[in-house]
Amino acid sequence: MSGTLPVYRWRLAPDGYATRRQLRALGLRPGGQNVAAELQRPRRRRGPLVAYLYRVDRALPVRPMTPARRAALAKAMTARRTCPNCRTDAGYCIPRSLGMCVPCHDSGRQHAA
């Protein structure tokens, strides 16, 4: 993406540009606009870290949370916290690398069919 986009060094982007997280903190979202600029932070042994910037004046307000959306998010988070082995709520999101809660993984219990 950096071929035609303006590229700024870390912390040197002009006013009027923001990352997705910065927009969200302002109660905004990109709203379908394309990436307007790129922010690069150099690293020693690898390529630079890249953050994409959006124009704040073209951003739209965040859509309000509806009861149906809130219920769907709650259901999805419950599924991420439920261990497929012991079927209990672990109280945290189950690591995808383990595929089960930490106690089940540490005890060596495998999924009962």
Side-chain angles (χ1 to χ4, degrees):
M1 283 190 163
S2 64
T4 60
L5 294 176
V7 177
Y8 300 103
R9 302 246 327 155
W10 202 250
R11 298 181 189 259
L12 297 178
D15 291 339
Y17 291 99
T19 64
R20 282 181 180 270
R21 284 188 181 192
Q22 291 168 336
L23 287 176
R24 187 62 181 212
L26 296 172
L28 301 171
R29 61 187 170 97
Q33 66 174 300
N34 291 327
V35 174
E38 195 174 278
L39 196 63
Q40 290 188 353
R41 179 178 175 198
R43 296 191 287 181
R44 291 178 189 252
R45 293 189 172 93
R46 293 183 280 175
L49 286 174
V50 175
Y52 298 115
L53 300 174
Y54 299 89
R55 300 249 326 245
V56 175
D57 59 342
R58 292 185 184 170
L60 300 175
V62 173
R63 293 184 187 116
M65 184 65 73
T66 63
R69 184 179 289 167
R70 189 178 311 277
L73 287 173
K75 186 176 178 182
M77 290 307 295
T78 300
R80 289 184 65 192
R81 289 191 313 263
T82 304
C83 176
N85 284 350
C86 59
R87 304 274 186 222
T88 58
D89 185 340
Y92 54 87
C93 289
I94 304 294
R96 292 178 62 190
S97 60
L98 301 180
M100 61 187 78
C101 65
V102 174
C104 286
H105 181 266
D106 289 346
S107 68
R109 285 188 287 184
Q110 295 301 318
H111 183 66

